[in-house]
Amino acid sequence: MFPPHIIKELNSIVGKEYVFLPPSNKIEEFSTDGTKLIFYPEVVVLPENEEQISEILKLANKEKVPIIPRGAGTGMSGGALAIKGGIVLGMNRMNRIIYIDPDNMVCKVEAGVITEDLQKEVNKYGLFYPPYPASANISTIGGNVAECAGGLRAVKYGVTRDYVMGLRMVLPTGEIVWTGTKAKKGVVGYDITRLIVGSEGTLAIITEILLRLIPAPEFKKGIILFFKDISSAIETAIKIIHSRIIPSILEFLDDICLDCVREDLYIPASSNSMLIIELDGPRSLVMEETERILKISENKALKAYSLEEEEEKKIWYVRNNLSHYMYRIKPNKISEDIVVPIKKIPDILDYIKSLIKEYGLPIPVFGHAGDGNLHVNIMFDKGKEEEVKKIREVISRILKKTVELEGTISGEHGIGITKSTYIGLEIPDHLLDLMKKIKKVFDPNNILNPGKIFCRSMLWQNP
């Protein structure tokens, strides 16, 4: 039973109506995330401001109670799960856009602001916030910052860290601090802002974010290309970039993905891979680049054409919901987000195809062909023990091969708990020790999101 005196203090800090205990539905709601793993928190608390968060952290630090910050729960590595019990701190109520400054092209938001809501608001000023995770309609800016979310537009515009200019946050000891600057340049001291971005809620709780904005592009145009094989698709993607065309989006789907969506999209029968492209910028340039891409693809593509507005909406709806379409194959899946150098995409895909034959598990792959970030989905039926037994070996082999190909085991999902076992494949022990020392400085009592990143045990042993 959670200590009653702590519950009493939490009630005093945020109000009893924002403190939830079993059997509240909030406990169930906050027990899982995009991984579909389940770890029940002992308490869920919904603070309204950073002063309340500060008081909660002071209390937790004194009592040595785990605190797990949580945005929308869309994460794919278990970063927001209460694997050691404790208090889940939901940031839902801290959802204000504090200001939009069109002249300086910046905005400041609270951590609970929905990504797509911000994008719509800044667009009213002719501005653009480019990061575009597939979950943009539900994921929060704070969660995006904590995981350094990437998404579909990274090939041209970069990832979340490239737009974070400053952070307001609460340290595990309860101290409220501000990092960064509103100025476009700044090299004073260590870059604490960048250290916090992607730290997965293990160093501080982010309350406000100062973000860089850019002018909104004048025009957008979609293009779709179908190919008979994977190599032709990737060769074309590379050729497009070498031709000095940088699409805002350059997405890849393999043959298994195409089979998942054939009921909903027109897919040529002989097509085994597909590129979805979006160009943006001045209308005249976009139209010129569209024609150049169609010309470039003539020798490789089975079919290539630019999209009309309604068809484009349907294509992007299917792409953004592709993970859900995959459940047509099997009832369960584990998603990985490896990254390899673009030229080596065919190598890792060929390797994955060999694993499909060896293990008999479907592994659809899609992702961001423009930056080499691939979403590898191991499909299985958890009711079949023989399939469940194969999963860890398949994941291990894919991640090892990724590192051998000079890639990384995560491009945007983070480490959390699902990849903590494999972090040593990429980061040597002496650097891991240095990271642990940084964690100790920020969080001497290890109360903030404990058991994430550095814990190498198989905490997710029941997929």
Side-chain angles (χ1 to χ4, degrees):
M1 183 178 176
F2 203 75
H5 71 282
I6 298 180
I7 298 298
K8 184 177 179 180
E9 290 198 49
L10 291 172
N11 290 341
S12 175
I13 293 169
V14 302
K16 189 173 182 179
E17 65 270 35
Y18 297 112
V19 178
F20 303 91
L21 299 165
S24 166
N25 289 338
K26 286 288 182 187
I27 299 295
E28 186 80 28
E29 177 186 340
F30 283 64
S31 68
T32 190
D33 65 358
T35 65
K36 294 186 168 52
L37 299 172
I38 297 175
F39 293 89
Y40 291 100
E42 294 168 281
V43 187
V44 171
V45 180
L46 305 180
E48 184 180 22
N49 53 54
E50 67 181 13
E51 288 76 20
Q52 291 179 354
I53 292 175
S54 174
E55 292 303 311
I56 293 168
L57 284 173
K58 288 175 185 175
L59 172 64
N61 202 47
K62 180 180 72 174
E63 300 287 346
K64 298 185 174 53
V65 175
I67 292 278
I68 302 91
R70 180 186 174 99
T74 59
M76 297 300 294
S77 62
L81 298 180
I83 63 173
K84 295 183 180 292
I87 302 167
V88 166
L89 207 63
M91 304 298 286
N92 315 52
R93 297 174 68 202
M94 296 183 63
N95 59 1
R96 294 183 306 132
I97 297 175
I98 300 168
Y99 65 73
I100 297 170
D101 180 348
D103 293 334
N104 289 305
M105 291 195 293
V106 297
C107 67
K108 183 184 278 188
V109 302
E110 289 186 323
V113 169
I114 301 298
T115 309
E116 193 172 84
D117 290 348
L118 175 65
Q119 290 168 331
K120 290 176 180 177
E121 283 301 308
V122 302
N123 189 250
K124 294 175 183 177
Y125 296 85
L127 297 172
F128 186 38
Y129 176 65
Y132 182 32
S135 61
N137 63 325
I138 52 175
S139 65
T140 64
I141 296 292
N144 291 173
V145 173
E147 296 295 328
C148 192
L152 283 71
R153 296 194 188 109
V155 58
K156 181 173 183 178
Y157 291 108
V159 297
T160 299
R161 75 160 66 91
D162 300 309
Y163 297 87
V164 179
M165 298 176 69
L167 297 170
R168 194 168 173 89
M169 56 194 176
V170 186
L171 301 181
T173 52
E175 184 181 0
I176 299 171
V177 297
W178 167 257
T179 71
T181 172
K182 198 172 182 179
K184 296 295 183 185
K185 294 180 179 178
V187 289
V188 180
Y190 296 142
D191 194 341
I192 302 299
T193 304
R194 286 231 167 184
L195 175 62
I196 299 300
V197 177
S199 62
E200 303 190 35
T202 62
L203 300 180
I205 293 180
I206 298 163
T207 58
E208 297 178 9
I209 305 106
L210 179 67
L211 294 168
R212 177 173 72 94
L213 305 172
I214 63 175
E218 174 193 334
F219 183 67
K220 296 180 182 179
K221 188 68 176 173
I223 305 167
I224 193 165
L225 309 174
F226 296 99
F227 301 87
K228 65 178 180 179
D229 53 50
I230 289 167
S231 294
S232 296
I234 301 306
E235 285 173 22
T236 301
I238 292 171
K239 193 170 182 179
I240 288 168
I241 295 173
H242 283 179
S243 300
R244 300 180 183 176
I245 300 172
I246 305 297
S248 53
I249 302 176
L250 179 50
E251 292 292 289
F252 163 80
L253 279 68
D254 78 351
D255 56 329
I256 305 178
C257 291
L258 294 188
D259 288 340
C260 291
V261 301
R262 285 183 192 274
E263 294 177 22
D264 301 86
L265 290 178
Y266 163 70
I267 310 286
S270 56
S271 176
N272 280 319
S273 61
M274 169 183 176
L275 294 179
I276 313 173
I277 300 171
E278 182 182 89
L279 300 170
D280 67 4
R283 179 184 288 266
S284 59
L285 177 61
V286 169
M287 298 309 294
E288 176 198 331
E289 290 183 339
T290 298
E291 292 304 315
R292 287 173 59 198
I293 286 175
L294 294 176
K295 185 72 175 174
I296 288 168
S297 64
E298 279 181 349
N299 294 331
K300 294 286 185 180
L302 296 171
K303 191 173 183 62
Y305 57 94
S306 61
L307 298 165
E308 298 302 322
E309 185 176 349
E310 286 305 310
E311 188 178 13
E312 192 167 347
K313 286 180 181 177
K314 186 174 183 181
I315 290 285
W316 289 122
Y317 175 83
V318 170
R319 165 59 186 87
N320 287 336
N321 291 278
L322 192 53
S323 287
H324 301 292
Y325 284 94
M326 289 178 185
Y327 290 113
R328 292 175 173 176
I329 307 173
K330 293 271 187 179
N332 307 103
K333 74 180 175 74
I334 291 177
S335 298
E336 298 294 338
D337 73 316
I338 60 172
V339 191
V340 295
I342 301 172
K343 185 70 174 176
K344 294 182 179 179
I345 292 176
D347 296 333
I348 191 66
L349 292 175
D350 286 345
Y351 183 73
I352 290 169
K353 292 297 182 188
S354 73
L355 296 181
I356 293 173
K357 292 179 181 177
E358 183 177 347
Y359 289 92
L361 293 175
I363 309 177
V365 181
F366 66 95
H368 320 309
D371 58 27
N373 188 182
L374 302 176
H375 297 286
V376 179
N377 301 272
I378 299 100
M379 309 302 299
F380 66 101
D381 184 342
K382 68 179 181 181
K384 297 181 178 179
E385 188 177 346
E386 68 277 10
E387 291 189 2
V388 174
K389 286 180 178 179
K390 298 175 182 178
I391 292 170
R392 293 191 193 97
E393 189 172 338
V394 170
I395 293 173
S396 179
R397 290 181 65 178
I398 290 171
L399 297 183
K400 286 177 181 177
K401 186 66 174 180
T402 298
V403 175
E404 286 175 16
L405 292 172
E406 300 177 284
T408 178
I409 64 174
S410 181
E412 53 193 13
H413 289 174
I415 297 300
I417 58 173
T418 61
K419 291 188 178 178
S420 61
T421 303
Y422 308 105
I423 193 170
L425 292 174
E426 186 172 333
I427 300 179
D429 286 343
H430 66 281
L431 287 182
L432 283 173
D433 289 341
L434 180 59
M435 292 179 187
K436 291 174 185 177
K437 289 174 183 176
I438 292 171
K439 164 72 169 170
K440 186 74 172 177
V441 170
F442 273 82
D443 186 10
N445 289 321
N446 194 29
I447 64 160
L448 195 51
N449 219 6
K452 308 297 167 60
I453 303 178
F454 306 115
C455 182
R456 298 195 187 185
S457 61
M458 285 284 190
L459 291 166
W460 53 283
Q461 54 188 323
N462 294 309

